[in-house]
Amino acid sequence: YAQAVYWYEQAAQKGNAAAQCNLGLCYERGDGVQKDLAAAFKWYLKSAENGSRSGQVNVGISYENGEGTDKNPEQAAKWYRAAAEQGYASGQYEYARCLKNGLGVKANAVEAIEWYNKSATQGNDKAMNILGDCYYKGEGVEKDILKAKEWYEKAAAKGNKYSIESLKK
């Protein structure tokens, strides 16, 4: 890990967004360096500002949880949306979650469904599971038990434990 950190740092210092994000992960986990959430956030932010979709999601997570920076739900939603707009399934899922729950943005169940759909169609099992829940409960969509079952089955096929449990009910 120490050798990986060395090379990530070399590339990160030259502005490589992927290396910046990976260096942030090393600091977050304590792989090859002493664990340092503030340093992780610093590198995630550089990565995000350089257009890295995974860096943007990691900045969002940092802001949402107050890890390495102050909690800031508005900034979390902003960075999740940046990744979502680049077509990143994880970003789409996280931004949809913000919209569904009113985290840093005004709650909007209908728009949340749109972003969950985008994420789910790329294979995100968490988005598939939530879509199942939304169709089951009629949140943001018209209640439709058959569509709920379809989404639960798709997520269960990917090993999503929540969907597997929902199908047993």
Side-chain angles (χ1 to χ4, degrees), residues 58-126:
N58 287 337
V59 167
I61 292 168
S62 297
Y63 274 126
E64 182 175 352
N65 298 322
E67 295 174 347
T69 188
D70 293 332
K71 275 191 175 189
N72 188 326
E74 292 79 15
Q75 282 294 311
K78 170 192 157 186
W79 286 105
Y80 291 147
R81 183 175 181 133
E85 288 176 342
Q86 289 193 68
Y88 192 45
S90 265
Q92 292 166 338
Y93 169 79
E94 296 296 349
Y95 185 59
R97 194 175 52 78
C98 290
L99 287 163
K100 185 174 187 286
N101 300 310
L103 176 72
V105 293
K106 185 178 179 187
N108 184 331
V110 173
E111 188 178 353
I113 293 294
E114 293 172 21
W115 287 105
Y116 280 131
N117 263 310
K118 289 177 183 185
S119 182
T121 57
Q122 292 190 67
N124 186 304
D125 66 293
K126 293 186 290 186

Side-chain angles (χ1 to χ4, degrees), residues 119-138:
S119 182
T121 57
Q122 292 190 67
N124 186 304
D125 66 293
K126 293 186 290 186
M128 292 172 185
N129 178 66
I130 296 296
L131 282 172
D133 288 345
C134 290
Y135 278 105
Y136 185 79
K137 297 172 186 171

Side-chain angles (χ1 to χ4, degrees), residues 23-40:
L23 188 55
L25 281 170
C26 290
Y27 277 106
E28 179 182 339
R29 296 176 181 160
D31 291 340
V33 290
Q34 186 171 345
K35 186 174 180 171
D36 183 341
L37 295 179

